[in-house]
Amino acid sequence: MAATIKIRAKAKGGVTTVKALMNHPMETGLRKDKKTGNKIPAHFIQEVVAEHNGKVVMTAYWGTAISKNPYISFKFAGGNKGDKIKISWVDNQGQSDSREATIK
Amino acid sequence: MILKRRTFLQRTLATSTVAMAASAGLMAPRAVFAEWPKNAFMAKGVPEALTGLLGTTSANDSDQIKIKAPDIAENGAVVPVTVSTSLDNVESISIVASANNQPLTSNYILPAGTEAFVSTRIKMAKTSDVIAVVKAGGNIYTTKKEVKVTIGGCGG
C-alpha cells in the first residue's frame, strides 16, 4: 500500500506537537451503495500507535465515528529536533501502515 | 550468506516469540497493549459505552476539562474536536458523541510525559452533546458541550 500517513512534528519549548493525517475511507458499515442498495461493509482504523524514539507516547482506539481521512494531533514533553516519530495504524480488516518522520 | 548457527537460532527464537505475541501480520507494538475495546465501541448507549470502556459509569463533572468544538457544525461528517484538561495524572481521554448510533468515537491512552491534549475530527449523526471523558488518577471526570449539526454524518 502506498504511504497513507503524513506526519508533522515540531519541538518547541520542551514540548513536541505532533500532527498526523491518514488516508482511510473510515466506512461506518451503515452507508448504502447508491447503485446497488447494498450496505458498504465497515472499514475503519481501530488503533493508532505513536512512538518517539521507540517509546510509545500515545495509543488511540478509534470507532467508526472518526471522520474519513482522519486527523490527529497530540503533544508530549521532550523530543528534540532530529528525533524520530513513528506512527502506525491497524484497521478492522487487518490492513496496516506505519510511517516515520523527523521532529523539526 | 553465512550465519553462525547460534545467532541464527537466537534470531529465529526472538522473531517467533514476537510473532506469537502479536497475531500474524501485525506490528509488534500492538502486542503490548490491551485489545481494541469492542464492547465499548459497539455499545448503543452512552452508559453502556462507558461501562465497556472504563468499567463504571460514575463520573464527576469537572470544569478543568476543555472541549473545543464548533457551536454549529455544518457538516456532521467532519466535526473538529479538541479536548484538553488541566487535571493531573491523566491516563486516558475519550470522546463521545451522545446521539450517535455508537456513541463512543475514540479513546486515547496517554502515558506519563504526554500532555493531556488531543485533537481530532469526528462524525456526528445529529445535534447532540459531545462528551469528553477523562480518566485521571483512577477517577473519571467528564464535561460536555452541545454541537448543533445541520447535516448528519453517519450513514444516510
Side-chain angles (χ1 to χ4, degrees):
Chain A
M1 199 190 287
T4 61
I5 310 175
K6 274 188 206 162
I7 308 171
R8 290 269 180 287
K10 208 162 195 180
K12 197 182 177 187
V15 174
T16 304
T17 306
V18 183
K19 293 175 183 174
L21 264 176
M22 290 152 244
N23 273 332
H24 202 279
M26 297 302 281
E27 284 293 348
T28 58
L30 305 170
R31 231 157 56 89
K32 277 182 184 163
D33 188 322
K34 279 184 183 128
K35 283 177 195 154
T36 60
N38 294 331
K39 279 192 175 176
I40 301 169
H43 186 198
F44 59 98
I45 296 179
Q46 286 188 312
E47 191 177 330
V48 182
V49 178
E51 288 168 78
H52 164 236
N53 285 348
K55 176 182 168 268
V56 173
V57 285
M58 194 233 28
T59 308
Y61 294 108
W62 283 352
T64 54
I66 294 294
S67 303
K68 181 175 154 184
N69 297 336
Y71 164 80
I72 185 169
S73 169
F74 64 95
K75 299 174 184 176
F76 66 91
N80 299 307
K81 282 181 189 179
D83 285 1
K84 296 279 183 216
I85 289 285
K86 187 181 166 196
I87 293 184
S88 330
W89 59 257
V90 179
D91 72 20
N92 68 322
Q93 297 185 358
Q95 294 173 1
S96 64
D97 197 11
S98 76
R99 190 89 198 263
E100 215 171 55
T102 318
I103 298 179
K104 281 180 183 155
Chain B
M1 184 169 81
I2 301 165
L3 269 175
K4 284 198 183 117
R5 187 167 177 269
R6 182 174 296 268
T7 11
F8 174 71
L9 281 176
Q10 277 169 349
R11 280 189 201 160
T12 340
L13 210 66
T15 13
S16 62
T17 325
V18 173
M20 271 190 285
S23 45
L26 298 179
M27 282 158 294
R30 197 179 157 79
V32 182
F33 299 102
E35 287 265 313
W36 186 69
K38 190 177 176 212
N39 292 341
F41 278 106
M42 292 302 159
K44 302 278 183 203
V46 178
E48 290 89 339
L50 292 186
T51 317
L53 186 67
L54 305 160
T56 171
T57 54
S58 68
N60 309 318
D61 283 335
S62 169
D63 53 6
Q64 286 176 281
I65 307 170
K66 283 206 170 64
I67 302 178
K68 196 176 142 202
D71 295 326
I72 299 170
E74 278 184 22
N75 183 357
V78 185
V79 184
V81 177
T82 301
V83 176
S84 59
T85 171
S86 52
L87 292 164
D88 291 329
N89 303 322
V90 172
E91 293 159 41
S92 74
I93 293 179
S94 314
I95 302 172
V96 178
S98 55
N100 276 10
N101 212 357
Q102 293 154 1
L104 182 63
T105 68
S106 50
N107 177 35
Y108 302 87
I109 313 286
L110 307 173
T114 301
E115 292 199 4
F117 165 95
V118 67
S119 178
T120 189
R121 299 191 294 218
I122 66 169
K123 294 178 203 165
M124 291 180 70
K126 56 187 173 194
T127 299
S128 67
D129 285 333
V130 171
I131 308 173
V133 183
V134 175
K135 189 178 178 196
N139 294 318
I140 295 154
Y141 303 92
T142 65
T143 193
K144 58 188 174 185
K145 177 183 191 323
E146 193 193 43
V147 175
K148 287 196 167 64
V149 175
T150 17
I151 309 165
C154 284

